[in-house]
Amino acid sequence: MKTVLVKESQYDISPAHLKEGSIFGALSDTSIQFLLDEGILHKVAKGDEVFSYGSKGGSFHTVLHGKLDFYKQHGDKKLRTRTICFGEAIGFVSMIALHERAGSLYALEECLLLEISSQLFSDFHDKYPFDFGILLMNLSRDMARTIRVLSNAMVESDVIVKQN
């Protein structure tokens, strides 16, 4: 994984293009540019690990180009639960819940990711409160879609959730 500058990107990361993704949809151009300028861009090679199970969850990543696989870990079990594509986010749940990473993330192909730290997320709230509300709604909608897919998979597999 290599940190790159916005001007070094070989991909279209213009606000107009990024708005086509679910996380950036309906955000203003200036707020998207702020996130690009203040966040960390990572160029990730196929097979690279972006983060590992148990690591600190102080940020989340948005996919600007490429695809990644997330492997959820619980105890000694590890299972691929989803593929993250352009315009989607990963790691937001760990960041907002103040938890360690619940799994590991690997690049399926060359990727360009934008890392948004908890501090940048807070700064974004202060500088762009209206856009922050939209971003939070987009992230929540993304989480809701993921919950639906995973809960459907549980039903299809006849998984019974244990009661505590």
Side-chain angles (χ1 to χ4, degrees):
M1 197 160 71
K2 175 183 165 190
T3 302
V4 296
L5 300 173
V6 171
K7 64 184 178 184
E8 294 176 340
S9 173
Q10 65 192 50
Y11 305 107
D12 181 2
I13 57 171
S14 65
H17 175 67
L18 295 180
K19 284 181 184 183
E20 295 173 17
S22 63
I23 295 304
F24 295 109
L27 293 178
S28 69
D29 289 0
T30 55
S31 71
I32 293 171
Q33 194 60 55
F34 173 78
L35 291 171
L36 288 171
D37 292 342
E38 299 300 320
I40 301 171
L41 281 180
H42 298 285
K43 185 176 180 181
V44 184
K46 180 180 179 178
D48 280 358
E49 183 179 66
V50 176
F51 59 71
S52 61
Y53 172 72
S55 61
K56 185 177 179 191
S59 64
F60 68 96
H61 296 80
T62 59
V63 180
L64 307 184
H65 175 81
K67 294 180 182 178
L68 307 111
D69 269 347
F70 179 72
Y71 290 82
K72 170 73 171 91
Q73 191 164 335
H74 182 72
D76 293 335
K77 293 184 178 183
K78 187 176 183 178
L79 180 71
R80 187 188 70 76
T81 58
R82 65 183 243 188
T83 298
I84 300 89
C85 301
F86 167 74
E88 297 178 335
I90 184 74
F92 178 70
V93 172
S94 296
M95 184 193 82
I96 209 71
L98 303 173
H99 290 170
E100 294 175 340
R101 304 286 186 198
S104 301
L105 183 67
Y106 299 93
L108 285 173
E109 59 191 26
E110 185 176 287
C111 297
L112 184 67
L113 309 177
L114 174 62
E115 183 176 6
I116 299 173
S117 68
S118 57
Q119 182 61 58
L120 176 55
F121 194 64
S122 175
D123 293 346
F124 188 70
H125 170 267
D126 294 343
K127 189 163 178 86
Y128 298 95
F130 180 78
D131 289 288
F132 179 83
I134 294 170
L135 178 62
L136 201 53
M137 186 172 58
N138 291 346
L139 287 162
S140 299
R141 187 177 294 122
D142 197 46
M143 283 190 310
R145 289 178 185 133
T146 299
I147 291 168
R148 172 70 57 97
V149 168
L150 293 175
S151 62
N152 286 347
M154 290 173 62
V155 170
E156 289 172 8
S157 300
D158 295 321
V159 172
I160 298 172
V161 178
K162 296 176 186 175
Q163 298 291 325
N164 290 336

